[in-house]
């Protein structure tokens, strides 16, 4: 993650060993002293959400586990373990504000917890709040001198203050201990950019993603650098890797299409479009792809391909195809999909079709 920047990914939030803070799936909480305090009224109130959380975790149901954790900390507010688990869960949903609140509450209850302080430091960096990150880093330094999160925080603080030599010292120290730690590599790339050395930043990130092929944060930063250079073939290449890492997110697939069309690589654009134009694809997603076709792929081949795919389009997708055909000067094809007469009586439901 580039703190304070446009891209954010929980994969860049790392522990001292460089492992992601947020696990891929919820890990059931170990029973705490909570369950031996039978006379505590908060215990009975927490028992049900605790059981629900355990069941949801075992089933891999993240939304249900999250709801149960929220109910659990509401019933049992004074257990830092539950707040830490909620914080990790919020990270998986990329709810960084919710995660910061949960870890803050955990730290209030257990002020010497190194892991919690390290996470708070990095979350403050994510938000671009250097002052808060520095405060957490100083607290962390008292209980764990030399912790990687301290060096990472100071590195970004020096970078913000344009003290590039000191920022480099922190980044180089981190990379000496953890050569492929995503946060340290991103810090190094940011310093190189600040020194007006974009090619050095690109080389640093390319080296990183060659070794850590699942480092989404570095891939996003690399893609943004290539976009700045209008290097569209490279944007398409990196976006394709991001799309493979997260195939359920259409954003990167659409970027592949856009960058490929800008590069006049129509074959790649067509291949990248196929999984986004399936009959069960959301209409807005279909519309995004076809708008790129209309703007950047002005060819009879594209029109013919759109006609072929439109033949299996769902009812909710037809408007997107009709809009495309109108845009490329084929109103007769649009009429075949949605008709050539107004839908009456006029209503909000048929407003788009009539338009």
């Amino acid at each position: 993650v580039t703190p304070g920047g446009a891209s954010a990914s929980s994969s860049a939030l790392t522990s001292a060993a460089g492992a992601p803070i947020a696990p891929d799936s919820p890990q059931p909480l170990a029973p705490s002293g909570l369950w031996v305090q039978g006379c505590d009224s908060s215990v009975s109130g927490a028992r049900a959400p605790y059981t629900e959380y355990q069941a949801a975790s075992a089933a891999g149901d993240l939304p249900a586990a999250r709801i149960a954790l929220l109910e659990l900390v509401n019933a049992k507010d004074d257990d830092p373990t539950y707040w830490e688990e909620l914080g990790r869960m919020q990270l998986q949903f990329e709810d960084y504000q919710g995660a910061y609140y949960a870890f803050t509450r955990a730290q209030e209850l257990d002020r010497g917890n190194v892991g919690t302080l390290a996470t708070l430091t990095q979350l403050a960096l994510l938000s671009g709040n250097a002052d808060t990150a520095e405060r957490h880093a100083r607290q962390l330094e008292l209980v764990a001198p030399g912790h990687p999160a301290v060096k990472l925080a100071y590195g970004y603080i020096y970078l913000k203050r344009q003290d590039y030599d000191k920022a480099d010292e922190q980044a180089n120290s981190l990379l000496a201990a953890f050569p492929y730690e995503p946060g340290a590599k991103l810090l190094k790339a940011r310093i190189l950019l600040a020194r007006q050395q974009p090619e050095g930043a690109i080389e640093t990130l390319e080296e990183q993603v060659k070794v850590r092929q699942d480092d989404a944060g570095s891939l996003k930063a690399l893609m943004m650098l290539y976009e700045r250079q209008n290097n569209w073939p490279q944007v398409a290449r990196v976006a394709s890797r991001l799309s493979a890492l997260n195939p359920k997110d259409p954003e990167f697939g659409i970027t592949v299409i856009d960058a490929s069309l800008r590069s006049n690589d129509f074959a790649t654009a067509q291949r990248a479009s196929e999984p986004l134009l399936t009959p069960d694809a959301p209409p807005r997603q279909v519309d995004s792809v076809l708008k790129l076709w209309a703007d950047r792929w002005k060819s009879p081949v594209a029109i013919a391909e759109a006609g072929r795919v439109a033949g299996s389009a769902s009812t909710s997708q037809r408007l997107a195809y009709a809009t495309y055909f109108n845009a490329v000067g084929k109103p007769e094809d649009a009429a075949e999909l949605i008709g050539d007469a107004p839908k009456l009586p006029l209503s909000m439901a048929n407003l788009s079709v009539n338009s």
Side-chain angles (χ1 to χ4, degrees), residues 236-252:
R237 175 182 65 86
V238 178
S240 181
R241 289 184 59 176
L242 284 164
S243 182
L245 285 176
N246 191 2
K248 293 183 179 180
D249 186 347
E251 174 190 351
F252 300 115

Side-chain angles (χ1 to χ4, degrees), residues 103-272:
F103 282 113
T104 297
R105 181 61 182 141
Q107 196 265 334
E108 290 171 352
L109 296 167
D110 184 6
R111 293 192 174 277
N113 189 304
V114 173
T116 301
L117 277 171
T119 304
L120 284 171
T121 303
Q122 295 174 84
L123 283 171
L125 286 175
L126 278 175
S127 70
N129 193 332
D131 292 338
T132 301
E134 184 174 15
R135 175 167 58 84
H136 288 311
R138 293 193 185 284
Q139 291 175 316
L140 179 59
E141 194 172 23
L142 291 174
V143 295
H147 192 285
V150 174
K151 295 181 179 180
L152 187 67
Y154 287 157
Y156 275 108
I157 290 163
Y158 289 133
L159 175 62
K160 183 178 180 181
R161 294 171 181 169
Q162 299 183 0
D163 190 340
Y164 303 137
D165 290 339
K166 287 187 177 180
D168 242 341
E169 287 178 12
Q170 299 296 328
N172 292 338
S173 175
L174 276 172
L175 290 172
F178 310 103
Y180 297 103
E181 202 288 317
K185 282 286 189 180
L186 283 167
L187 172 59
K188 184 68 176 181
R190 284 287 298 273
I191 295 168
L192 289 167
L193 272 179
R195 292 183 184 274
Q196 304 299 313
Q197 299 175 26
E199 294 304 327
I202 288 174
E203 183 180 347
T204 296
L205 294 174
E206 286 284 11
E207 178 190 8
Q208 172 72 3
V209 299
K210 188 179 294 184
V211 176
R212 293 283 299 271
Q213 298 184 13
D214 61 345
D215 184 355
S218 292
L219 284 168
K220 289 177 183 178
L222 189 59
M223 185 176 71
M224 291 170 64
L225 287 174
Y226 282 131
E227 283 180 354
R228 288 184 182 183
Q229 297 180 338
N230 292 325
N231 190 338
W232 300 112
Q234 294 296 343
V235 172
R237 175 182 65 86
V238 178
S240 181
R241 289 184 59 176
L242 284 164
S243 182
L245 285 176
N246 191 2
K248 293 183 179 180
D249 186 347
E251 174 190 351
F252 300 115
I254 291 172
T255 300
V256 174
I257 298 167
D258 185 28
S260 298
L261 291 175
R262 289 173 184 265
S263 309
N264 294 324
D265 185 354
F266 303 116
T268 297
Q270 184 173 338
R271 286 195 300 271

Side-chain angles (χ1 to χ4, degrees), residues 10-11 13-14 19-25 87-93:
S10 59
S11 65
L13 279 172
T14 53
I21 287 173
D24 293 331
S25 58
R88 285 190 285 268
M89 180 67 70
Q90 300 288 42
L91 284 176
Q92 293 187 77
F93 285 90

